[in-house]
mmCIF file of all heavy atoms in Angstrom:
data_model
loop_
_atom_site.group_PDB
_atom_site.id
_atom_site.type_symbol
_atom_site.label_atom_id
_atom_site.label_comp_id
_atom_site.label_asym_id
_atom_site.label_seq_id
_atom_site.Cartn_x
_atom_site.Cartn_y
_atom_site.Cartn_z
ATOM 1 N N LEU L 1573 64.448 -132.223 82.191
ATOM 2 C CA LEU L 1573 65.182 -133.282 82.845
ATOM 3 C C LEU L 1573 65.669 -132.813 84.226
ATOM 4 O O LEU L 1573 66.521 -131.943 84.221
ATOM 5 C CB LEU L 1573 66.314 -133.820 82.023
ATOM 6 C CG LEU L 1573 66.008 -134.236 80.546
ATOM 7 C CD1 LEU L 1573 67.286 -134.454 79.795
ATOM 8 C CD2 LEU L 1573 65.120 -135.478 80.563
ATOM 9 N N ASN L 1574 65.227 -133.399 85.262
ATOM 10 C CA ASN L 1574 65.651 -133.021 86.597
ATOM 11 C C ASN L 1574 66.445 -134.219 87.285
ATOM 12 O O ASN L 1574 66.263 -135.347 86.816
ATOM 13 C CB ASN L 1574 64.459 -132.638 87.476
ATOM 14 C CG ASN L 1574 63.751 -131.378 86.989
ATOM 15 O OD1 ASN L 1574 64.414 -130.350 86.708
ATOM 16 N ND2 ASN L 1574 62.431 -131.400 86.938
ATOM 17 N N SER L 1575 67.124 -133.896 88.331
ATOM 18 C CA SER L 1575 67.784 -134.936 89.120
ATOM 19 C C SER L 1575 68.542 -135.830 88.175
ATOM 20 O O SER L 1575 68.399 -137.094 88.297
ATOM 21 C CB SER L 1575 66.827 -135.671 89.981
ATOM 22 O OG SER L 1575 66.148 -134.764 90.844
ATOM 23 N N LEU L 1576 69.301 -135.300 87.295
ATOM 24 C CA LEU L 1576 70.003 -136.132 86.287
ATOM 25 C C LEU L 1576 70.996 -137.116 86.906
ATOM 26 O O LEU L 1576 71.653 -136.773 87.845
ATOM 27 C CB LEU L 1576 70.615 -135.259 85.262
ATOM 28 C CG LEU L 1576 69.644 -134.681 84.172
ATOM 29 C CD1 LEU L 1576 70.270 -133.508 83.494
ATOM 30 C CD2 LEU L 1576 69.203 -135.763 83.215
ATOM 31 N N LYS L 1577 71.059 -138.290 86.299
ATOM 32 C CA LYS L 1577 71.962 -139.290 86.693
ATOM 33 C C LYS L 1577 72.929 -139.647 85.530
ATOM 34 O O LYS L 1577 72.559 -139.416 84.332
ATOM 35 C CB LYS L 1577 71.261 -140.620 87.061
ATOM 36 C CG LYS L 1577 70.138 -140.362 88.054
ATOM 37 C CD LYS L 1577 69.301 -141.682 88.320
ATOM 38 C CE LYS L 1577 68.177 -141.432 89.273
ATOM 39 N NZ LYS L 1577 67.418 -142.685 89.467
ATOM 40 N N PRO L 1578 74.058 -140.208 85.890
ATOM 41 C CA PRO L 1578 74.991 -140.571 84.775
ATOM 42 C C PRO L 1578 74.346 -141.507 83.751
ATOM 43 O O PRO L 1578 74.654 -141.469 82.533
ATOM 44 C CB PRO L 1578 76.139 -141.249 85.547
ATOM 45 C CG PRO L 1578 76.157 -140.564 86.842
ATOM 46 C CD PRO L 1578 74.727 -140.387 87.176
ATOM 47 N N GLU L 1579 73.432 -142.359 84.227
ATOM 48 C CA GLU L 1579 72.734 -143.290 83.284
ATOM 49 C C GLU L 1579 71.760 -142.567 82.369
ATOM 50 O O GLU L 1579 71.193 -143.248 81.468
ATOM 51 C CB GLU L 1579 72.096 -144.432 84.055
ATOM 52 C CG GLU L 1579 71.179 -143.982 85.177
ATOM 53 C CD GLU L 1579 71.897 -144.036 86.571
ATOM 54 O OE1 GLU L 1579 73.061 -143.571 86.588
ATOM 55 O OE2 GLU L 1579 71.252 -144.432 87.544
ATOM 56 N N ASP L 1580 71.592 -141.298 82.550
ATOM 57 C CA ASP L 1580 70.718 -140.545 81.638
ATOM 58 C C ASP L 1580 71.500 -140.018 80.409
ATOM 59 O O ASP L 1580 70.943 -139.457 79.517
ATOM 60 C CB ASP L 1580 70.075 -139.383 82.380
ATOM 61 C CG ASP L 1580 69.133 -139.688 83.401
ATOM 62 O OD1 ASP L 1580 68.318 -140.678 83.199
ATOM 63 O OD2 ASP L 1580 69.108 -139.074 84.502
ATOM 64 N N THR L 1581 72.786 -140.274 80.418
ATOM 65 C CA THR L 1581 73.664 -139.885 79.317
ATOM 66 C C THR L 1581 73.167 -140.586 78.042
ATOM 67 O O THR L 1581 73.125 -141.849 78.001
ATOM 68 C CB THR L 1581 75.145 -140.171 79.629
ATOM 69 O OG1 THR L 1581 75.594 -139.362 80.716
ATOM 70 C CG2 THR L 1581 76.016 -139.914 78.449
ATOM 71 N N ALA L 1582 72.887 -139.793 77.053
ATOM 72 C CA ALA L 1582 72.402 -140.383 75.813
ATOM 73 C C ALA L 1582 72.142 -139.220 74.853
ATOM 74 O O ALA L 1582 72.217 -138.048 75.192
ATOM 75 C CB ALA L 1582 71.083 -141.118 76.028
ATOM 76 N N VAL L 1583 71.957 -139.607 73.584
ATOM 77 C CA VAL L 1583 71.407 -138.707 72.573
ATOM 78 C C VAL L 1583 69.887 -138.732 72.689
ATOM 79 O O VAL L 1583 69.304 -139.832 72.673
ATOM 80 C CB VAL L 1583 71.834 -139.020 71.135
ATOM 81 C CG1 VAL L 1583 71.298 -138.093 70.110
ATOM 82 C CG2 VAL L 1583 73.412 -139.044 71.016
ATOM 83 N N TYR L 1584 69.344 -137.504 72.853
ATOM 84 C CA TYR L 1584 67.851 -137.460 72.911
ATOM 85 C C TYR L 1584 67.244 -136.994 71.617
ATOM 86 O O TYR L 1584 67.697 -135.974 71.129
ATOM 87 C CB TYR L 1584 67.533 -136.465 74.134
ATOM 88 C CG TYR L 1584 67.735 -137.089 75.495
ATOM 89 C CD1 TYR L 1584 69.005 -137.314 75.954
ATOM 90 C CD2 TYR L 1584 66.645 -137.506 76.304
ATOM 91 C CE1 TYR L 1584 69.169 -137.899 77.207
ATOM 92 C CE2 TYR L 1584 66.910 -138.080 77.555
ATOM 93 C CZ TYR L 1584 68.141 -138.322 77.972
ATOM 94 O OH TYR L 1584 68.342 -138.795 79.239
ATOM 95 N N TYR L 1585 66.227 -137.693 71.215
ATOM 96 C CA TYR L 1585 65.617 -137.464 69.998
ATOM 97 C C TYR L 1585 64.085 -137.087 70.215
ATOM 98 O O TYR L 1585 63.427 -137.684 71.072
ATOM 99 C CB TYR L 1585 65.559 -138.632 69.053
ATOM 100 C CG TYR L 1585 66.940 -139.092 68.642
ATOM 101 C CD1 TYR L 1585 67.587 -140.099 69.446
ATOM 102 C CD2 TYR L 1585 67.574 -138.650 67.508
ATOM 103 C CE1 TYR L 1585 68.814 -140.543 69.104
ATOM 104 C CE2 TYR L 1585 68.781 -139.146 67.155
ATOM 105 C CZ TYR L 1585 69.408 -140.073 67.947
ATOM 106 O OH TYR L 1585 70.656 -140.555 67.541
ATOM 107 N N CYS L 1586 63.590 -136.074 69.445
ATOM 108 C CA CYS L 1586 62.133 -135.854 69.538
ATOM 109 C C CYS L 1586 61.533 -136.429 68.257
ATOM 110 O O CYS L 1586 62.279 -136.614 67.203
ATOM 111 C CB CYS L 1586 61.812 -134.412 69.686
ATOM 112 S SG CYS L 1586 62.245 -133.339 68.295
ATOM 113 N N ALA L 1587 60.289 -136.808 68.346
ATOM 114 C CA ALA L 1587 59.601 -137.454 67.223
ATOM 115 C C ALA L 1587 58.130 -136.959 67.160
ATOM 116 O O ALA L 1587 57.536 -136.671 68.225
ATOM 117 C CB ALA L 1587 59.668 -138.926 67.323
ATOM 118 N N ALA L 1588 57.539 -136.928 66.013
ATOM 119 C CA ALA L 1588 56.158 -136.547 65.837
ATOM 120 C C ALA L 1588 55.373 -137.621 65.122
ATOM 121 O O ALA L 1588 55.967 -138.262 64.149
ATOM 122 C CB ALA L 1588 56.126 -135.270 64.990
ATOM 123 N N GLY L 1589 54.192 -137.872 65.597
ATOM 124 C CA GLY L 1589 53.368 -138.898 64.996
ATOM 125 C C GLY L 1589 51.917 -138.612 65.209
ATOM 126 O O GLY L 1589 51.515 -137.738 65.928
ATOM 127 N N PRO L 1590 51.028 -139.398 64.556
ATOM 128 C CA PRO L 1590 49.584 -139.157 64.591
ATOM 129 C C PRO L 1590 48.856 -139.690 65.866
ATOM 130 O O PRO L 1590 47.737 -139.345 66.123
ATOM 131 C CB PRO L 1590 49.037 -139.826 63.331
ATOM 132 C CG PRO L 1590 50.007 -140.930 63.130
ATOM 133 C CD PRO L 1590 51.327 -140.470 63.591
#
Side-chain angles (χ1 to χ4, degrees):
L1573 306 170
N1574 295 314
S1575 303
L1576 282 162
K1577 306 174 182 180
E1579 51 264 43
D1580 294 317
T1581 295
V1583 178
Y1584 284 71
Y1585 299 89
C1586 68

